[in-house]
Amino acid sequence: MIMSPTAARTPRRRTALGWIPLVVVVLLVGLVAATGGLAKAPGVGPRRFAVGEPVVLARWVLVVDGVDLVDTTSYGSPSAPTLRVRLRATWTGDATEPLLSSGLVHVVVPGGPPPAADVSSVAAGAYSGGFDPDVERPATLEVVWPDGADETTPRVPAPATVQVVVRDEREAQNFLYADQWQVTDPLGHVDVPVTDSRTR
Amino acid sequence: MTAPPPEVAATPATPASSVPRRHVPAALRPVLGLLGCVVLAVAVAVAAPDPSEQLRRRWSDAGPGAWAVTPDRSARVTSVAVVGTVDPGYGDVLASRQALVVAQVDVAVRHRVAQLNHVYLRTADDKEYAPRSELSSAGLAQTQPGFTRHATLVFEVPSDRLPRAELVVDADAASVDGYTDAIRLDLGLGRTVRVSPETVTPAPASVTTT
């Protein structure tokens, strides 16, 4: 019996064609590896920053310098116990921004009662106005601790450290407003020793 | 004898009734209409210029010491100092690691009240610096027609951005902006700007009749 040439090549051709997907996969994996796609990914989750380390955000650069526990206002009058966060902030936009974005920073007291939810911005030295483009200036944030405390609240032991949690922003595109930004999940935090400066 | 007209080959006319027409199902017409509207709206939104970047101004320019004149107001810069420290005369001294530009300006208002709430220093790379509000008592404020306000504005700016900076007395900030006049004043800052170590105390703002 004599087989036709076409019939004789068919099994070999099928065998050769069967290697093509494997070759394609190997090439693709090689391409991904060559472009760095198989490198170990950086750790996922909130990062930890050091005191004094710049935290670079989408529109701000923040540096956490310290936290004081105080019970007087900056003018010296009695106040509720307050955690006062000392920052340096640099606005990287194109025009002066009147306020530090709301929600960028909040404070967590590990193992202790929670601070109030509201974080207020107060004057930092001579600065009480806006943030100019690419000009680093001090900023001070205050949060009452424990939540609900006032001038008459019995004294509680000061926490050794607090976590200053920093969130980033992302632009929220829409057709109604320009330049809308939303605060993201926490980017990371800074463990900051607390200086107890209470007078009562 | 006249030659007979050439014969023209007649093209057989195709009856319109014989051309097949594609009919859109009636149920789909509202959907297609809505899709068309959405596509049109998206196209307009994408193609329309950003209004914040397309503000139209008719600029009036002036050099140091000269008046820039528009129909509603005139303005000039009478002096400019670049220092490291400004003492407001109360509270804390403002000491900058950058540069503090102290500009004395006069704004004469005509015809209608001016808020003068949109004045800023613009650098050569288009960054806008508002006057430091800590020194607002020396700065510009609402001014009635027929009066000239004499003010001192303090701007904190990185010193490398100061060359060719200008002071902009823009249209009053409002919810709706439009085509209008505005003023650009050359601050006279050359290519290299030296920050003086001296401390300046701005004089309180004053108003005189024009």
Side-chain angles (χ1 to χ4, degrees), chain B residues 63-173:
Chain B
W67 287 96
V69 180
T70 68
D72 282 343
R73 61 186 74 165
S74 302
R76 67 174 177 177
V77 173
T78 56
S79 75
V80 175
V82 181
V83 299
T85 309
V86 169
D87 183 358
Y90 54 86
D92 295 314
V93 171
L94 186 62
S96 174
R97 291 194 297 175
Q98 308 288 341
L100 295 170
V101 180
V102 183
Q104 290 188 313
V105 299
D106 296 336
V107 181
V109 177
R110 293 182 291 276
H111 304 312
R112 68 189 74 177
V113 64
Q115 302 300 326
L116 302 179
N117 57 2
H118 198 195
V119 178
Y120 51 90
L121 182 149
R122 182 158 63 196
T123 61
D125 60 349
D126 271 343
K127 302 284 186 180
E128 296 180 4
Y129 292 81
R132 293 305 312 170
S133 59
E134 294 85 352
L135 303 148
S136 59
S137 63
L140 293 169
Q142 175 180 297
T143 303
Q144 300 293 335
F147 292 88
T148 298
R149 185 168 289 272
H150 313 277
T152 303
L153 305 177
V154 179
F155 304 92
E156 187 172 23
V157 185
S159 55
D160 59 351
R161 287 221 174 106
L162 284 178
R164 296 188 293 121
E166 59 190 9
L167 179 69
V168 177
V169 182
D170 208 341
D172 290 343

Side-chain angles (χ1 to χ4, degrees), chain A residues 31-79:
Chain A
L31 183 64
V32 170
T35 54
L38 299 183
K40 187 176 181 182
V44 176
R47 298 168 55 191
R48 182 172 293 186
F49 300 94
V51 174
E53 179 184 354
V55 181
V56 180
L57 307 177
R59 302 193 297 169
W60 298 89
V61 178
L62 300 180
V63 178
V64 180
D65 283 330
V67 173
D68 301 313
L69 178 58
V70 299
D71 57 6
T72 57
T73 67
S74 54
Y75 299 105
S77 56
S79 73

Side-chain angles (χ1 to χ4, degrees), chain A residues 9 16 19 21 33 36 52 55 78 99 118 122 127-128 132 138 141 151 153 157 161 164 172 189 191 197 200:
Chain A
R9 281 199 301 267
W19 284 96
V55 181
L99 298 169
D118 293 334
V122 297
Y127 286 94
S128 58
D132 292 317
L141 302 177
E151 294 87 340
T153 301
T161 61
V164 176
H189 72 269
D191 289 312
S197 302
R200 301 191 299 275

